[in-house]
């Protein structure tokens, strides 16, 4: 159903046009992948510093502590602690997860899976990466300003984020970085949406698209609609800080008309709740596909999965108030937001049941991508269920701003998305770089990561339920927190182990990309979607002939199949 | 399953770029919708408007702006029509008209800002000036971007190549008309009501 046919472009010859300013969606995807992995490392080290401070208050951070905090002899100082959790959140959400899931796999998978030769606007795609690059420089520049980086939390609520709360340039740079990144992501989103609408291969209806493309497409729609809302919010925040406007200054109320700090929270969460789904939808899509691929069964209720993802996308736009129950909202509003939030459970339950239905009685192959996908099913189940307590007004009033919230959103946004990203990485490695990663070390990586992150986030929910506040530098100054020192130490050790185990992944990945001699076959996982009909790694024009699609993406075990194959290519038609 | 349909190349590109452009404009609308919603909330929750004994901005200059931008949209609409009909010799007048009127709009905006200063409305003076200045600034920044995008019409005029430039022409005019509509909304919400 392609609106027009893209021509085969010649392969770029110079280093600059091939690796730096490339128009090729696959290269741009890889650029985003490296970008995301770099920031995953930076954000991870920040997380370890936070955890270290909570487990061993007053003890110098090992190895690099003395270098970074010479005035305190290596101990993380309190103001730096606030910067650390702010930058950790910002980096992980906007600069690690978004580039890996949306930037890298969005770019790489959409054209390949729908049978296109490239994105529909290649120039826009390249600009989207380089604008994201500029944004990263703005953000990191904040770390080197005299008063340090932003310290108002990733939500950057006024008055913490106004000139009164954070006088330094760091917070301004933060807001500018977010605005610029928003521009980049919006450009990417428009590209993805248009590509999916106009460049699907002949014969491919929307329900013939793999669910990964569904997830990525819905994410792109949310991005295009809601990033500008955040853009408006941070723009006004920048104006407050630079030009002296008073949008979010509470003190101004008495003297010159009302500035309103709460209004920023509204704007932030109108964007912020869809953002949660922006992060998770690609992972959902990828996992829905992988479960079917490795259970060697058609995805159970694939159409229902796609439709429930769509209804979650729609519902996600009208529930944001559940983040603001403690802002003296009218009870009528809190009740309405609570009810709407609970409504999301219905489509969530449908597609979760579909996941279980897919693996039910499948002949499961426990390769590393499948292990990571099953990991997502487990942690997302836990994360989703704990969300109910936070969506309910009565329990939220108690749990608000405790570590329970931190544990909950790490289960949904960090753990699920991270595991989903790893699954995708291991799975599409042959198509991206032409080699397979070592399967044994992939499994070691999975088990340590899985145990580690459950240790961390389960522990966080326990201390949060016991009343530990989420942003305290040293919560143990309170007597009731004394008994929670051991469990905090346990969380920190889990984090250290999980952090170190990522070195396994990095070595495995770098080895497979640069040093491995042995080439992967064209279709090592025996899957029928379009990207597996072409050579590994994918050639620069993707498809020599634009494929004609005859069936859906999850066709397994058709009795009419001949030979030893149990899967059917999307280009095949069986009697 | 959808039957294989082939659309001629130019038609396909036209549809494709207008789909992209429409989604882009949806993004821009969300930006301005958020700003106007913010304005509405401050306005509705304030005890009196404008607060603190400030005066309303007189309607004269904003009304002039509205007429100017409407005329420029009209000129660009003519331009697009001539281009569609391949009457390339008629393009120059509407093009110059759009550019001149666009620049005139910016000129009136600068007059508006200095007249607000003369009235004692300064940026730092509380939420009312904050809104009046910030929203008009953001819109004006888009107008500047729009004026730059008008320059992309020059190669279209010179080359007289319909197939190559029809998407440029229709995208630039969509963006320009969009800015006109946004101004009209701002005029009604911020100055008239
Ligand atoms: Cu939410």
């Amino acid at each position: 159903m392609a609106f027009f046919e893209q021509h085969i472009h010649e392969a770029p010859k110079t280093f600059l046009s091939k690796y730096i300013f490339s128009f090729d969606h696959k290269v741009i995807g890889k650029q985003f992948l490296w970008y995301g992995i770099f920031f995953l490392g930076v954000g991870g080290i920040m997380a370890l510093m936070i955890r270290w401070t909570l487990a061993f208050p007053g003890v110098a951070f090992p190895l690099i502590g003395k270098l970074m905090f010479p005035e305190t002899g290596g101990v993380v100082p309190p103001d730096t602690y606030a910067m650390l959790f702010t930058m950790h959140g910002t980096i992980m959400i906007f600069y690690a997860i978004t580039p890996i899931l949306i930037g890298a796999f969005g770019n790489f998978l959409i054209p390949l899976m729908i049978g296109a030769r490239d994105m529909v606007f290649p120039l826009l795609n390249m600009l989207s990466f380089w604008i994201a690059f500029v944004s990263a420089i703005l953000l990191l520049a904040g770390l080197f300003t005299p008063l340090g980086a932003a310290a108002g939390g990733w939500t950057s609520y006024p008055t913490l984020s106004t000139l009164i709360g954070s006088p330094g340039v760091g917070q301004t740079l933060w807001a500018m970085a977010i605005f610029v990144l928003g521009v980049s992501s919006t450009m990417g989103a428009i590209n993805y949406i248009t590509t999916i609408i106009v460049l699907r291969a002949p014969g491919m209806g929307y329900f013939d698209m793999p669910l990964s493309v569904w997830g990525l497409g819905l994410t792109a729609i949310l991005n295009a609609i809601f990033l500008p809302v955040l853009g408006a919010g941070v723009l006004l925040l920048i104006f407050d800080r630079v030009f002296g406007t008073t949008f979010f200054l509470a003190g101004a109320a008495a003297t010159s008309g009302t500035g309103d700090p709460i209004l920023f929270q509204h704007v932030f969460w109108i964007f912020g709740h869809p953002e949660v789904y922006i992060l998770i939808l690609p992972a959902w899509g990828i996992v829905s596909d992988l479960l079917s691929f490795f259970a060697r069964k058609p995805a159970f209720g694939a159409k229902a999965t796609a439709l429930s993802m769509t209804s979650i996308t729609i519902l996600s736009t009208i529930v944001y108030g559940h983040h603001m129950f403690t802002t003296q909202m009218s009870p009528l509003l809190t009740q309405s937001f609570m009810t709407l939030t609970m409504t999301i459970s219905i489509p969530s339950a449908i597609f979760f049941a579909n996941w279980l239905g897919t693996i039910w009685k499948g002949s499961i192959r426990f390769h590393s991508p499948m292990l990571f996908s099953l990991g997502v099913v487990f942690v997302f189940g836990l994360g989703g269920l704990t969300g109910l307590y936070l969506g309910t007004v009565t329990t939220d009033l108690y749990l608000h701003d405790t570590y329970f919230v931190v544990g909950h959103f790490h289960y949904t946004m960090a753990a699920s998305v991270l595991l989903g990203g790893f699954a995708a990485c291991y799975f599409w490695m042959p198509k991206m770089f032409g080699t397979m990663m070592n399967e044994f070390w992939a499994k070691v990586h999975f088990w340590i990561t899985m145990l580690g992150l459950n240790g961390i986030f389960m522990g966080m929910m326990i201390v949060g339920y016991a009343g530990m506040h989420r942003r305290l530098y040293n919560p143990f100054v309170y007597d009731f927190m004394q008994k929670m020192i051991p469990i905090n130490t346990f969380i920190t050790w889990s984090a250290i182990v999980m952090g170190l185990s990522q070195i396994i992944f990095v070595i495995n990945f770098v080895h497979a990309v640069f040093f491995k001699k042995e080439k992967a076959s064209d279709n090592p996982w025996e899957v029928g979607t379009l990207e597996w009909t072409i050579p590994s790694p994918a050639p620069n024009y993707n498809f020599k002939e634009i494929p004609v699609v005859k069936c859906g993406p999850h066709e397994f075990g058709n009795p009419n199949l001949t030979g030893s194959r149990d899967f059917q290519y999307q280009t095949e038609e069986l009697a | 399953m959808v039957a294989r349909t082939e659309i001629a190349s130019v038609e396909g590109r036209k549809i494709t770029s207008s789909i992209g452009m429409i989604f882009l404009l949806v993004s821009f609308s969300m930006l301005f919708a958020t700003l106007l919603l913010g304005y509405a909330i401050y306005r509705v929750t304030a005890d009196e408007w404008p607060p603190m004994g400030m005066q309303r901005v007189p309607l004269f200059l904003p009304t002039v702006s509205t007429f100017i931008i409407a005329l420029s949209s009209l000129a660009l609409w003519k331009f697009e029509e001539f281009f569609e009909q391949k009457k390339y010799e008629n393009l120059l007048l509407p093009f110059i008209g759009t550019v001149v009127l666009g620049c005139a709009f910016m000129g009136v905006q600068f007059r508006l800002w200095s007249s607000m200063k003369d009235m004692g409305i300064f940026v730092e003076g509380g939420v009312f000036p904050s809104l009046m200045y910030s929203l008009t600034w953001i819109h004006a920044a888009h107008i500047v971007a729009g004026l730059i995008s008008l320059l992309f019409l020059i190669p279209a005029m010179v080359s007289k190549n319909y197939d190559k430039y029809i998407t440029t022409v229709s995208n630039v005019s969509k963006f320009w008309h969009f800015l006109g509509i946004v101004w009209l909304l701002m005029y009604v919400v911020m100055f008239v009501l």
Side-chain angles (χ1 to χ4, degrees):
Chain A
M1 152 83 203
F3 280 40
F4 65 101
E5 193 167 341
Q6 294 170 301
H7 303 293
I8 290 186
H9 289 288
E10 269 182 68
K13 299 229 167 49
T14 62
F15 179 81
L16 220 57
S17 64
K18 195 169 176 187
Y19 295 110
I20 310 294
F21 298 107
S22 172
F23 291 101
D24 186 345
H25 73 103
K26 297 181 289 299
V27 179
I28 296 169
K30 288 174 200 170
Q31 287 174 323
F32 268 118
L33 188 62
W34 287 108
Y35 177 102
I37 290 177
F38 166 75
F39 274 108
L40 208 55
V42 177
I45 292 171
M46 287 176 168
L48 288 178
M49 287 181 174
I50 297 168
R51 280 319 312 173
W52 185 269
T53 313
L54 285 174
F56 314 109
V59 181
F61 189 75
L63 301 176
I64 52 173
K66 287 235 164 53
L67 207 72
M68 300 189 69
F69 318 112
E71 321 80 46
T72 53
V75 180
V76 177
D79 56 338
T80 310
Y81 180 80
M83 286 168 205
L84 280 175
F85 68 65
T86 301
M87 294 301 274
H88 163 75
T90 309
I91 285 177
M92 286 307 207
I93 289 170
F94 293 109
Y95 294 84
I97 287 173
T98 308
I100 291 179
L101 267 294
I102 304 171
F105 288 106
N107 253 314
F108 188 79
L109 294 180
I110 291 177
L112 282 177
M113 287 186 138
I114 63 174
R117 292 207 166 110
D118 203 329
M119 285 289 176
V120 66
F121 307 123
L123 175 66
L124 194 68
N125 208 8
M126 181 187 84
L127 285 177
S128 156
F129 176 76
W130 285 105
I131 290 177
F133 192 82
V134 171
S135 159
I137 290 173
L138 282 174
L139 184 85
L140 292 179
L143 294 169
F144 302 99
T145 53
L147 290 177
W154 84 278
T155 53
S156 127
Y157 285 169
T159 47
L160 291 176
S161 59
T162 56
L163 281 177
I164 300 163
S166 22
V169 193
Q171 186 73 43
T172 312
L173 285 169
W174 181 94
M176 282 160 64
I178 294 296
F179 186 81
V180 174
L181 192 75
V183 172
S184 149
S185 296
T186 312
M187 289 162 81
I190 286 159
N191 213 344
Y192 294 0
I193 298 170
T194 316
T195 304
I196 292 175
I197 294 177
V198 304
L199 283 181
R200 276 167 297 126
M204 182 177 260
Y206 285 106
F207 288 106
D208 298 321
M209 299 191 305
L211 291 166
S212 308
V213 179
W214 270 90
L216 289 161
L218 292 170
T219 289
I221 292 174
L222 283 179
N223 255 336
I225 297 177
F226 287 103
L227 271 171
V229 177
L230 177 71
V234 291
L235 204 56
L236 298 187
L237 190 64
I238 294 173
F239 285 1
D240 267 11
R241 299 181 60 85
V242 179
F243 300 123
T245 55
T246 56
F247 291 106
F248 305 124
L249 284 188
T255 53
S256 52
T258 40
D260 187 358
I262 299 291
L263 192 69
F264 184 86
Q265 293 194 26
H266 283 281
V267 173
F268 185 88
W269 287 115
I270 288 175
F271 151 81
H273 188 83
E275 169 71 7
V276 176
Y277 290 94
I278 287 169
L279 298 174
I280 193 72
L281 274 164
W284 280 350
I286 287 167
V287 167
S288 308
D289 277 339
L290 293 191
L291 287 177
S292 152
F293 294 162
F294 286 92
R296 314 308 292 172
K297 268 183 66 193
F300 184 84
K303 218 174 201 175
T305 308
L307 290 177
S308 45
M309 290 205 295
T310 311
S311 39
I312 291 174
T313 305
I314 296 165
L315 282 173
S316 78
T317 62
I318 46 170
V319 299
Y320 78 92
H322 59 219
H323 296 272
M324 299 173 61
F325 287 157
T326 55
T327 55
Q328 303 189 355
M329 220 179 224
S330 124
L332 186 67
L333 265 182
T334 57
Q335 302 278 320
S336 325
F337 277 123
M338 177 173 92
T339 315
L340 285 169
T341 305
M342 296 300 157
T343 318
I344 293 192
S345 319
I346 300 167
S348 307
I350 293 176
F351 83 74
F352 203 85
N354 283 349
W355 282 356
L356 301 180
T358 303
I359 50 178
W360 179 256
K361 291 193 173 169
S363 19
I364 297 177
R365 297 179 180 173
F366 286 102
H367 294 301
S368 48
M370 182 59 167
L371 288 179
F372 279 98
S373 304
L374 291 172
V376 175
V377 175
F378 179 75
V379 296
F380 190 78
L382 264 179
L385 285 177
T386 51
L388 293 174
Y389 301 96
L390 297 171
T392 309
V393 181
T394 39
T395 39
D396 180 70
L397 292 182
Y398 170 70
L399 292 170
H400 185 82
D401 256 355
T402 64
Y403 252 90
F404 189 85
V405 180
V406 181
H408 157 74
F409 72 66
H410 275 89
Y411 258 116
T412 49
M413 293 192 340
S416 312
V417 180
L418 193 69
L419 292 180
F422 281 135
C425 230
Y426 285 109
F427 184 74
W428 278 289
M429 192 70 188
K431 207 44 77 183
M432 279 201 275
F433 296 100
T435 51
M436 305 278 280
M437 284 207 251
N438 182 301
E439 187 66 12
F440 172 77
W441 288 109
K443 284 178 181 165
V444 174
H445 173 223
F446 168 74
W447 283 111
I448 304 181
T449 305
M450 185 71 184
L451 292 174
L453 64 85
N454 277 296
I456 302 167
F457 304 134
M458 201 95 75
M460 282 183 177
M461 291 208 275
I462 295 169
V463 291
Y465 195 72
M468 179 164 153
H469 187 274
R470 64 187 274 198
R471 290 195 176 114
L472 294 184
Y473 171 63
N474 182 1
F476 310 112
V477 294
Y478 298 105
D479 278 344
F480 79 99
M481 283 299 302
Q482 289 300 328
K483 291 204 173 103
M484 276 177 262
I485 292 178
I487 192 162
N488 269 298
T489 320
F490 168 77
I491 298 173
T492 298
W493 280 114
S494 306
I496 291 170
V497 170
M498 181 188 154
L500 289 178
S501 78
Q502 303 315 307
I503 296 173
I504 301 175
F505 169 76
V506 171
I507 293 175
N508 199 349
F509 182 77
V510 169
H511 176 254
V513 174
F514 294 112
F515 303 108
K516 201 162 182 176
K517 292 277 175 305
E518 188 191 336
K519 295 286 167 231
S521 64
D522 289 354
N523 189 1
W525 308 110
E526 305 185 302
V527 172
T529 47
L530 293 176
E531 79 271 28
W532 302 105
T533 59
I534 57 171
S536 299
N540 79 304
Y541 47 81
N542 293 359
F543 299 91
K544 215 178 240 142
E545 293 278 324
I546 293 295
V548 178
V549 173
K550 302 275 171 55
C551 67
H554 317 102
E555 297 296 329
F556 290 97
N558 187 323
N560 290 326
L561 279 165
T562 49
S564 56
R565 248 185 326 126
D566 68 339
F567 67 99
Q568 178 181 348
Y569 283 109
Q570 277 194 274
T571 48
E572 282 180 311
E573 196 159 23
L574 295 181
Chain B
M1 232 164 282
V2 185
R4 179 168 187 158
T5 47
E6 287 288 343
I7 300 175
S9 168
V10 179
E11 284 305 305
R13 276 199 304 124
K14 259 172 95 171
I15 298 173
T16 303
S17 87
S18 58
I19 292 174
M21 197 62 198
I22 286 166
F23 276 103
L24 185 67
L25 292 183
V26 167
S27 288
F28 277 120
S29 330
M30 286 304 287
L31 177 79
F32 286 107
T34 310
L35 295 172
L36 284 175
L37 196 70
Y39 180 93
I41 288 169
Y42 284 120
R43 163 95 205 238
V44 170
T45 53
D47 295 334
E48 53 173 330
W49 195 261
M52 289 304 294
M54 281 179 192
Q55 300 206 321
R56 292 182 71 109
V57 179
L59 266 180
F60 177 67
L61 287 173
T63 313
V64 173
S65 293
T66 313
F67 274 111
I68 292 178
I69 205 162
L71 283 177
S72 82
S73 255
L74 204 66
L76 191 60
W77 177 63
K78 268 290 163 211
F79 179 94
E80 207 186 349
E81 204 175 63
F82 287 137
F83 196 86
E84 286 274 1
Q85 298 163 351
K86 306 193 182 174
K87 291 182 185 160
Y88 303 114
E89 62 286 350
N90 296 349
L91 290 176
L92 193 62
L93 191 65
F95 175 76
I96 292 177
T98 315
V99 173
V100 168
L101 287 165
C103 293
F105 177 84
M106 280 307 292
V108 179
Q109 290 300 91
F110 278 107
R111 279 291 309 141
L112 177 71
W113 292 324
S114 66
S115 80
M116 273 155 67
K117 271 184 208 124
D118 293 342
M119 288 169 62
I121 302 177
F122 295 100
V123 184
E124 299 88 351
V127 81
F128 173 67
S130 297
L131 284 164
M132 297 313 264
Y133 280 105
S134 302
L135 268 59
T136 47
W137 281 343
I138 294 171
H139 181 260
H142 284 81
I143 290 283
V144 171
L147 284 171
I148 293 169
S149 78
L150 287 178
L151 298 181
F152 285 92
L153 298 181
I154 295 175
M157 277 195 305
V158 177
S159 75
K160 308 189 160 110
N161 184 339
Y162 177 86
D163 288 4
K164 192 167 172 203
Y165 286 106
I166 180 64
T167 53
T168 316
V169 171
S170 77
N171 285 344
V172 168
S173 24
K174 275 199 190 85
F175 186 59
W176 191 256
H177 298 318
F178 169 78
L179 293 180
I181 295 169
V182 170
W183 174 259
L184 186 67
L185 287 174
M186 284 168 64
Y187 172 68
V188 173
V189 173
M190 294 167 59
F191 296 99
V192 176
L193 290 177

